[in-house]
């Protein structure tokens, strides 16, 4: 463990942890086991519109799991389409757990559509959640940041290179990339690093069996990614050992789209 056991536990805020099988939930578990206190964000309004549906009981179940790992845990409902919500969420985490030393933006609003059938409303909502919402989280995080424990100050955001037939999602993530790259430069004087992770295809409940098989066949290592694969890379980036890595977009995807 990189965190000095004699020190207070650092606080991480992880968004996109609404269900146990999400990447966000895997990141939350990892960080709890590595000495962090964990706040995690979710939004049932989005899940309710998705095939898997919303299950509010899962939030407290995840919180209890994190507590069993030794962490203080705080579930935070946050509608990132609301421009006031990101700062309010960061303020709540700070008030209840203490200064936030790491931010992991693993949320994503994604509804398939392309160039010809994306509505203006859908386009704007993708950018509101995936792009503007993350920028405002980063802004609020930096404004409350106090350099402290073990020299930590970390931002990690999950991105994607998906574009065709998933246009508003891919475009909003592309814009997100530039925001995080800017943060790596503009927040460096605070001792904050900022990086992006592209996890490739990971089935968190949205793939059909046929799609899962096809995507695994396009991956050099012959399988789909697992949430834990991403969580392990994020854990390195959040650690003291990861402190020399900043401004990077890292592909953690098992060789997806390499010639196979």
């Amino acid at each position: 463990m990189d965190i000095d056991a004699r020190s207070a536990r650092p606080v991480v805020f992880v968004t996109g942890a609404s269900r146990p099988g999400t990447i966000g939930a895997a990141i939350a578990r990892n960080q709890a086991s590595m000495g962090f206190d964990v706040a995690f964000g979710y939004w049932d309004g989005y899940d309710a519109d998705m095939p898997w549906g919303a299950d509010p009981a899962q939030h407290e179940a995840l919180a209890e799991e994190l507590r069993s790992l030794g962490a203080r845990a705080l579930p935070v409902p946050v509608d990132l389409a609301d421009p006031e919500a990101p700062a309010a969420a960061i303020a709540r985490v700070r008030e209840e757990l203490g200064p936030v030393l790491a931010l992991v933006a693993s949320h994503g609003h994604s509804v398939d559509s392309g160039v010809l059938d994306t509505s203006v409303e859908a386009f704007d909502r993708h950018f509101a959640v995936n792009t503007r919402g993350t920028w405002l989280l980063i802004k609020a995080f930096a404004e409350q940041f106090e350099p402290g424990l073990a020299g930590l100050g970390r931002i990690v955001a999950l991105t994607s290179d998906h574009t065709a037939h998933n246009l508003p999602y891919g475009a909003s993530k592309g814009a997100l990339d530039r925001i995080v790259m800017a943060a790596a430069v503009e927040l460096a004087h605070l001792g904050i690093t900022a990086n992006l992770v592209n996890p490739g295809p990971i089935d968190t409940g949205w793939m059909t069996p046929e799609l899962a098989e096809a995507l695994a066949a396009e991956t050099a290592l012959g399988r789909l990614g697992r949430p834990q694969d991403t969580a392990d890379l994020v854990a390195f980036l959040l650690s003291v050992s990861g402190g020399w890595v900043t401004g990077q977009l890292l592909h953690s995807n098992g060789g997806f789209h390499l010639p196979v």
Side-chain angles (χ1 to χ4, degrees):
M1 181 173 70
D2 282 317
I3 305 305
D4 188 334
R6 296 168 298 178
S7 303
R9 295 169 68 101
V11 175
V12 61
F13 182 33
V14 182
T15 62
S18 63
R19 296 174 290 117
T22 62
I23 297 173
I27 293 169
R29 292 186 194 98
N30 245 27
Q31 297 312 127
S33 69
M34 293 181 178
F36 282 74
D37 288 331
V38 182
F40 61 92
Y42 64 88
W43 187 242
D44 286 336
Y46 173 69
D47 286 330
D49 291 335
M50 295 293 105
W52 51 80
D55 183 359
Q58 294 180 341
H59 313 318
E60 188 55 35
L62 177 58
E64 285 301 315
E65 185 180 354
L66 300 178
R67 292 171 189 135
S68 74
L69 296 170
R72 292 182 297 159
L74 177 66
V76 180
V78 54
D79 179 5
L80 291 170
D82 176 357
E84 304 298 323
I90 294 286
R92 181 182 172 189
V93 176
R94 180 184 174 88
E95 179 180 355
E96 298 200 28
L97 297 183
V100 184
L101 294 183
L103 171 66
V104 181
S106 65
H107 63 276
H109 182 87
S110 179
V111 179
D112 289 351
S113 61
V115 172
L116 299 180
D117 60 349
T118 295
S119 69
V120 170
E121 179 184 10
F123 188 90
D124 287 349
R125 187 165 187 85
H126 279 80
F127 272 80
V129 174
N130 299 340
T131 310
R132 186 185 70 194
T134 309
W135 158 53
L136 292 173
L137 281 171
I138 290 171
K139 180 176 183 290
F141 167 76
E143 288 171 343
Q144 63 81 61
F145 180 74
E146 298 175 8
L149 191 69
L152 294 179
R154 305 283 189 267
I155 296 166
V156 178
L158 301 193
T159 189
S160 173
D161 53 12
H162 205 188
T163 50
H165 309 299
N166 201 194
L167 171 70
Y169 176 75
S172 63
K173 288 289 188 174
L176 165 67
D177 295 352
R178 299 308 179 102
I179 291 170
V180 175
M181 296 296 185
V185 175
E186 295 183 19
L187 305 182
H189 70 286
L190 298 174
I192 295 172
T193 66
N195 293 286
L196 295 138
V197 172
N198 185 334
I202 294 182
D203 187 5
T204 58
W206 59 274
M207 291 186 192
T208 64
E210 295 77 16
L211 179 60
E213 182 179 359
L215 292 174
E218 293 184 44
T219 302
L221 293 180
R223 66 167 174 86
L224 294 175
R226 305 181 185 110
Q228 190 64 40
D229 295 322
T230 304
D232 288 341
L233 176 55
V234 171
F236 169 73
L237 293 172
L238 297 188
S239 73
V240 174
S241 299
W244 193 236
V245 182
T246 195
Q248 303 301 306
L249 197 170
L250 304 173
H251 287 79
S252 173
N253 62 11
F256 183 60
H257 279 161
L258 290 176
V260 296

mmCIF file of all heavy atoms in Angstrom, residues 216-249:
data_model
loop_
_atom_site.group_PDB
_atom_site.id
_atom_site.type_symbol
_atom_site.label_atom_id
_atom_site.label_comp_id
_atom_site.label_asym_id
_atom_site.label_seq_id
_atom_site.Cartn_x
_atom_site.Cartn_y
_atom_site.Cartn_z
ATOM 1 N N ALA A 216 -14.735 -9.637 -28.394
ATOM 2 C CA ALA A 216 -13.619 -10.447 -27.891
ATOM 3 C C ALA A 216 -12.739 -10.928 -29.033
ATOM 4 O O ALA A 216 -11.506 -10.998 -28.904
ATOM 5 C CB ALA A 216 -14.159 -11.633 -27.093
ATOM 6 N N ALA A 217 -13.350 -11.242 -30.191
ATOM 7 C CA ALA A 217 -12.585 -11.710 -31.349
ATOM 8 C C ALA A 217 -11.701 -10.609 -31.925
ATOM 9 O O ALA A 217 -10.724 -10.894 -32.618
ATOM 10 C CB ALA A 217 -13.538 -12.233 -32.419
ATOM 11 N N GLU A 218 -12.026 -9.333 -31.644
ATOM 12 C CA GLU A 218 -11.227 -8.212 -32.130
ATOM 13 C C GLU A 218 -10.137 -7.809 -31.140
ATOM 14 O O GLU A 218 -9.424 -6.821 -31.373
ATOM 15 C CB GLU A 218 -12.127 -7.012 -32.398
ATOM 16 C CG GLU A 218 -13.104 -7.206 -33.548
ATOM 17 C CD GLU A 218 -13.891 -5.939 -33.821
ATOM 18 O OE1 GLU A 218 -13.281 -4.844 -33.842
ATOM 19 O OE2 GLU A 218 -15.122 -6.029 -33.987
ATOM 20 N N THR A 219 -10.007 -8.550 -30.055
ATOM 21 C CA THR A 219 -9.056 -8.196 -29.006
ATOM 22 C C THR A 219 -7.890 -9.177 -29.021
ATOM 23 O O THR A 219 -8.095 -10.397 -29.017
ATOM 24 C CB THR A 219 -9.753 -8.230 -27.629
ATOM 25 O OG1 THR A 219 -10.866 -7.330 -27.655
ATOM 26 C CG2 THR A 219 -8.802 -7.813 -26.520
ATOM 27 N N ALA A 220 -6.672 -8.653 -29.061
ATOM 28 C CA ALA A 220 -5.496 -9.507 -29.204
ATOM 29 C C ALA A 220 -5.417 -10.574 -28.113
ATOM 30 O O ALA A 220 -5.014 -11.714 -28.368
ATOM 31 C CB ALA A 220 -4.233 -8.656 -29.198
ATOM 32 N N LEU A 221 -5.810 -10.238 -26.894
ATOM 33 C CA LEU A 221 -5.739 -11.193 -25.796
ATOM 34 C C LEU A 221 -6.937 -12.130 -25.743
ATOM 35 O O LEU A 221 -7.018 -12.986 -24.862
ATOM 36 C CB LEU A 221 -5.574 -10.458 -24.460
ATOM 37 C CG LEU A 221 -4.235 -9.726 -24.298
ATOM 38 C CD1 LEU A 221 -4.153 -9.028 -22.949
ATOM 39 C CD2 LEU A 221 -3.059 -10.682 -24.465
ATOM 40 N N GLY A 222 -7.878 -11.965 -26.663
ATOM 41 C CA GLY A 222 -8.923 -12.950 -26.852
ATOM 42 C C GLY A 222 -10.048 -12.947 -25.837
ATOM 43 O O GLY A 222 -10.796 -13.925 -25.732
ATOM 44 N N ARG A 223 -10.194 -11.867 -25.108
ATOM 45 C CA ARG A 223 -11.311 -11.783 -24.171
ATOM 46 C C ARG A 223 -11.722 -10.323 -24.028
ATOM 47 O O ARG A 223 -10.982 -9.409 -24.416
ATOM 48 C CB ARG A 223 -10.941 -12.339 -22.799
ATOM 49 C CG ARG A 223 -9.877 -11.537 -22.038
ATOM 50 C CD ARG A 223 -9.807 -11.965 -20.583
ATOM 51 N NE ARG A 223 -8.729 -11.344 -19.822
ATOM 52 C CZ ARG A 223 -8.827 -10.148 -19.214
ATOM 53 N NH1 ARG A 223 -9.939 -9.422 -19.318
ATOM 54 N NH2 ARG A 223 -7.807 -9.684 -18.520
ATOM 55 N N LEU A 224 -12.884 -10.120 -23.452
ATOM 56 C CA LEU A 224 -13.309 -8.776 -23.123
ATOM 57 C C LEU A 224 -12.575 -8.292 -21.874
ATOM 58 O O LEU A 224 -12.074 -9.085 -21.075
ATOM 59 C CB LEU A 224 -14.814 -8.745 -22.852
ATOM 60 C CG LEU A 224 -15.731 -9.037 -24.035
ATOM 61 C CD1 LEU A 224 -17.183 -9.078 -23.567
ATOM 62 C CD2 LEU A 224 -15.559 -7.980 -25.123
ATOM 63 N N GLY A 225 -12.535 -6.989 -21.729
ATOM 64 C CA GLY A 225 -12.003 -6.437 -20.499
ATOM 65 C C GLY A 225 -12.962 -6.674 -19.343
ATOM 66 O O GLY A 225 -14.165 -6.898 -19.537
ATOM 67 N N ARG A 226 -12.419 -6.622 -18.142
ATOM 68 C CA ARG A 226 -13.211 -6.739 -16.919
ATOM 69 C C ARG A 226 -13.085 -5.429 -16.152
ATOM 70 O O ARG A 226 -12.050 -4.753 -16.232
ATOM 71 C CB ARG A 226 -12.706 -7.893 -16.056
ATOM 72 C CG ARG A 226 -12.650 -9.233 -16.783
ATOM 73 C CD ARG A 226 -12.154 -10.338 -15.851
ATOM 74 N NE ARG A 226 -11.991 -11.609 -16.581
ATOM 75 C CZ ARG A 226 -10.824 -12.175 -16.857
ATOM 76 N NH1 ARG A 226 -9.699 -11.597 -16.477
ATOM 77 N NH2 ARG A 226 -10.774 -13.330 -17.511
ATOM 78 N N PRO A 227 -14.093 -5.051 -15.384
ATOM 79 C CA PRO A 227 -13.963 -3.825 -14.592
ATOM 80 C C PRO A 227 -12.696 -3.775 -13.752
ATOM 81 O O PRO A 227 -12.076 -2.720 -13.600
ATOM 82 C CB PRO A 227 -15.227 -3.852 -13.722
ATOM 83 C CG PRO A 227 -16.235 -4.559 -14.575
ATOM 84 C CD PRO A 227 -15.449 -5.634 -15.280
ATOM 85 N N GLN A 228 -12.267 -4.923 -13.249
ATOM 86 C CA GLN A 228 -11.068 -4.946 -12.415
ATOM 87 C C GLN A 228 -9.824 -4.564 -13.211
ATOM 88 O O GLN A 228 -8.882 -3.980 -12.654
ATOM 89 C CB GLN A 228 -10.881 -6.336 -11.799
ATOM 90 C CG GLN A 228 -9.794 -6.397 -10.738
ATOM 91 C CD GLN A 228 -10.114 -5.535 -9.519
ATOM 92 O OE1 GLN A 228 -11.261 -5.499 -9.077
ATOM 93 N NE2 GLN A 228 -9.112 -4.845 -8.992
ATOM 94 N N ASP A 229 -9.799 -4.880 -14.503
ATOM 95 C CA ASP A 229 -8.648 -4.501 -15.326
ATOM 96 C C ASP A 229 -8.449 -2.986 -15.309
ATOM 97 O O ASP A 229 -7.323 -2.485 -15.178
ATOM 98 C CB ASP A 229 -8.843 -4.973 -16.772
ATOM 99 C CG ASP A 229 -8.886 -6.484 -16.905
ATOM 100 O OD1 ASP A 229 -8.127 -7.163 -16.180
ATOM 101 O OD2 ASP A 229 -9.673 -6.986 -17.726
ATOM 102 N N THR A 230 -9.544 -2.262 -15.459
ATOM 103 C CA THR A 230 -9.467 -0.800 -15.428
ATOM 104 C C THR A 230 -9.151 -0.300 -14.028
ATOM 105 O O THR A 230 -8.346 0.619 -13.844
ATOM 106 C CB THR A 230 -10.783 -0.189 -15.921
ATOM 107 O OG1 THR A 230 -11.077 -0.685 -17.224
ATOM 108 C CG2 THR A 230 -10.706 1.324 -15.972
ATOM 109 N N ALA A 231 -9.784 -0.908 -13.033
ATOM 110 C CA ALA A 231 -9.571 -0.477 -11.648
ATOM 111 C C ALA A 231 -8.113 -0.597 -11.246
ATOM 112 O O ALA A 231 -7.585 0.243 -10.497
ATOM 113 C CB ALA A 231 -10.455 -1.294 -10.711
ATOM 114 N N ASP A 232 -7.425 -1.618 -11.734
ATOM 115 C CA ASP A 232 -6.021 -1.808 -11.376
ATOM 116 C C ASP A 232 -5.135 -0.705 -11.958
ATOM 117 O O ASP A 232 -4.203 -0.226 -11.303
ATOM 118 C CB ASP A 232 -5.536 -3.180 -11.838
ATOM 119 C CG ASP A 232 -6.101 -4.316 -11.009
ATOM 120 O OD1 ASP A 232 -6.566 -4.067 -9.874
ATOM 121 O OD2 ASP A 232 -6.107 -5.466 -11.501
ATOM 122 N N LEU A 233 -5.410 -0.296 -13.196
ATOM 123 C CA LEU A 233 -4.629 0.793 -13.780
ATOM 124 C C LEU A 233 -4.932 2.103 -13.061
ATOM 125 O O LEU A 233 -4.021 2.887 -12.768
ATOM 126 C CB LEU A 233 -4.929 0.926 -15.273
ATOM 127 C CG LEU A 233 -4.248 2.089 -15.995
ATOM 128 C CD1 LEU A 233 -2.728 2.057 -15.805
ATOM 129 C CD2 LEU A 233 -4.602 2.088 -17.475
ATOM 130 N N VAL A 234 -6.198 2.354 -12.781
ATOM 131 C CA VAL A 234 -6.562 3.572 -12.055
ATOM 132 C C VAL A 234 -5.870 3.604 -10.694
ATOM 133 O O VAL A 234 -5.389 4.656 -10.251
ATOM 134 C CB VAL A 234 -8.087 3.677 -11.911
ATOM 135 C CG1 VAL A 234 -8.475 4.818 -10.966
ATOM 136 C CG2 VAL A 234 -8.742 3.891 -13.278
ATOM 137 N N ALA A 235 -5.804 2.454 -10.028
ATOM 138 C CA ALA A 235 -5.146 2.401 -8.725
ATOM 139 C C ALA A 235 -3.692 2.846 -8.823
ATOM 140 O O ALA A 235 -3.184 3.566 -7.939
ATOM 141 C CB ALA A 235 -5.227 0.988 -8.147
ATOM 142 N N PHE A 236 -3.004 2.437 -9.873
ATOM 143 C CA PHE A 236 -1.621 2.887 -10.055
ATOM 144 C C PHE A 236 -1.569 4.398 -10.251
ATOM 145 O O PHE A 236 -0.745 5.089 -9.641
ATOM 146 C CB PHE A 236 -0.977 2.183 -11.246
ATOM 147 C CG PHE A 236 0.345 2.781 -11.638
ATOM 148 C CD1 PHE A 236 1.473 2.590 -10.850
ATOM 149 C CD2 PHE A 236 0.460 3.570 -12.774
ATOM 150 C CE1 PHE A 236 2.698 3.167 -11.186
ATOM 151 C CE2 PHE A 236 1.667 4.151 -13.127
ATOM 152 C CZ PHE A 236 2.795 3.948 -12.329
ATOM 153 N N LEU A 237 -2.440 4.922 -11.091
ATOM 154 C CA LEU A 237 -2.424 6.359 -11.365
ATOM 155 C C LEU A 237 -2.749 7.177 -10.120
ATOM 156 O O LEU A 237 -2.276 8.306 -9.978
ATOM 157 C CB LEU A 237 -3.405 6.685 -12.490
ATOM 158 C CG LEU A 237 -3.035 6.128 -13.867
ATOM 159 C CD1 LEU A 237 -4.178 6.358 -14.847
ATOM 160 C CD2 LEU A 237 -1.749 6.741 -14.391
ATOM 161 N N LEU A 238 -3.547 6.627 -9.214
ATOM 162 C CA LEU A 238 -3.898 7.334 -7.983
ATOM 163 C C LEU A 238 -2.833 7.193 -6.904
ATOM 164 O O LEU A 238 -2.876 7.898 -5.895
ATOM 165 C CB LEU A 238 -5.230 6.823 -7.430
ATOM 166 C CG LEU A 238 -6.483 7.012 -8.293
ATOM 167 C CD1 LEU A 238 -7.720 6.624 -7.494
ATOM 168 C CD2 LEU A 238 -6.608 8.435 -8.812
ATOM 169 N N SER A 239 -1.914 6.294 -7.089
ATOM 170 C CA SER A 239 -0.924 6.008 -6.056
ATOM 171 C C SER A 239 0.230 6.999 -6.095
ATOM 172 O O SER A 239 0.403 7.768 -7.048
ATOM 173 C CB SER A 239 -0.383 4.590 -6.243
ATOM 174 O OG SER A 239 0.488 4.535 -7.370
ATOM 175 N N VAL A 240 1.043 6.946 -5.053
ATOM 176 C CA VAL A 240 2.279 7.741 -5.038
ATOM 177 C C VAL A 240 3.173 7.324 -6.200
ATOM 178 O O VAL A 240 3.802 8.152 -6.853
ATOM 179 C CB VAL A 240 2.999 7.562 -3.690
ATOM 180 C CG1 VAL A 240 4.348 8.268 -3.711
ATOM 181 C CG2 VAL A 240 2.137 8.099 -2.556
ATOM 182 N N SER A 241 3.208 6.033 -6.496
ATOM 183 C CA SER A 241 4.053 5.527 -7.590
ATOM 184 C C SER A 241 3.638 6.075 -8.943
ATOM 185 O O SER A 241 4.449 6.149 -9.866
ATOM 186 C CB SER A 241 4.008 3.993 -7.621
ATOM 187 O OG SER A 241 4.498 3.448 -6.426
ATOM 188 N N GLY A 242 2.378 6.462 -9.085
ATOM 189 C CA GLY A 242 1.891 6.996 -10.358
ATOM 190 C C GLY A 242 2.041 8.490 -10.503
ATOM 191 O O GLY A 242 1.540 9.080 -11.476
ATOM 192 N N GLY A 243 2.733 9.118 -9.576
ATOM 193 C CA GLY A 243 2.781 10.571 -9.553
ATOM 194 C C GLY A 243 3.584 11.239 -10.652
ATOM 195 O O GLY A 243 3.521 12.452 -10.814
ATOM 196 N N TRP A 244 4.353 10.479 -11.431
ATOM 197 C CA TRP A 244 5.133 11.054 -12.525
ATOM 198 C C TRP A 244 4.416 10.909 -13.853
ATOM 199 O O TRP A 244 4.941 11.297 -14.893
ATOM 200 C CB TRP A 244 6.512 10.394 -12.559
ATOM 201 C CG TRP A 244 7.538 11.087 -13.424
ATOM 202 C CD1 TRP A 244 8.243 10.531 -14.457
ATOM 203 C CD2 TRP A 244 7.981 12.443 -13.348
ATOM 204 N NE1 TRP A 244 9.088 11.441 -15.025
ATOM 205 C CE2 TRP A 244 8.950 12.641 -14.354
ATOM 206 C CE3 TRP A 244 7.653 13.518 -12.525
ATOM 207 C CZ2 TRP A 244 9.592 13.859 -14.554
ATOM 208 C CZ3 TRP A 244 8.286 14.735 -12.724
ATOM 209 C CH2 TRP A 244 9.248 14.895 -13.732
ATOM 210 N N VAL A 245 3.201 10.384 -13.837
ATOM 211 C CA VAL A 245 2.412 10.200 -15.061
ATOM 212 C C VAL A 245 1.323 11.260 -15.080
ATOM 213 O O VAL A 245 0.462 11.294 -14.197
ATOM 214 C CB VAL A 245 1.785 8.794 -15.111
ATOM 215 C CG1 VAL A 245 1.007 8.622 -16.414
ATOM 216 C CG2 VAL A 245 2.838 7.715 -14.958
ATOM 217 N N THR A 246 1.343 12.120 -16.072
ATOM 218 C CA THR A 246 0.291 13.126 -16.190
ATOM 219 C C THR A 246 0.127 13.540 -17.648
ATOM 220 O O THR A 246 1.060 13.445 -18.450
ATOM 221 C CB THR A 246 0.577 14.355 -15.296
ATOM 222 O OG1 THR A 246 -0.615 15.140 -15.178
ATOM 223 C CG2 THR A 246 1.714 15.205 -15.837
ATOM 224 N N GLY A 247 -1.078 13.953 -17.989
ATOM 225 C CA GLY A 247 -1.368 14.390 -19.351
ATOM 226 C C GLY A 247 -1.406 13.260 -20.360
ATOM 227 O O GLY A 247 -1.239 13.494 -21.557
ATOM 228 N N GLN A 248 -1.670 12.044 -19.908
ATOM 229 C CA GLN A 248 -1.624 10.880 -20.790
ATOM 230 C C GLN A 248 -3.020 10.295 -21.036
ATOM 231 O O GLN A 248 -3.877 10.327 -20.157
ATOM 232 C CB GLN A 248 -0.734 9.791 -20.191
ATOM 233 C CG GLN A 248 0.680 10.248 -19.891
ATOM 234 C CD GLN A 248 1.391 10.764 -21.129
ATOM 235 O OE1 GLN A 248 1.465 10.072 -22.143
ATOM 236 N NE2 GLN A 248 1.918 11.978 -21.040
ATOM 237 N N LEU A 249 -3.200 9.739 -22.226
ATOM 238 C CA LEU A 249 -4.381 8.944 -22.551
ATOM 239 C C LEU A 249 -3.895 7.506 -22.720
ATOM 240 O O LEU A 249 -3.213 7.185 -23.695
ATOM 241 C CB LEU A 249 -5.057 9.447 -23.822
ATOM 242 C CG LEU A 249 -6.495 8.985 -24.078
ATOM 243 C CD1 LEU A 249 -7.112 9.768 -25.240
ATOM 244 C CD2 LEU A 249 -6.637 7.501 -24.348
#
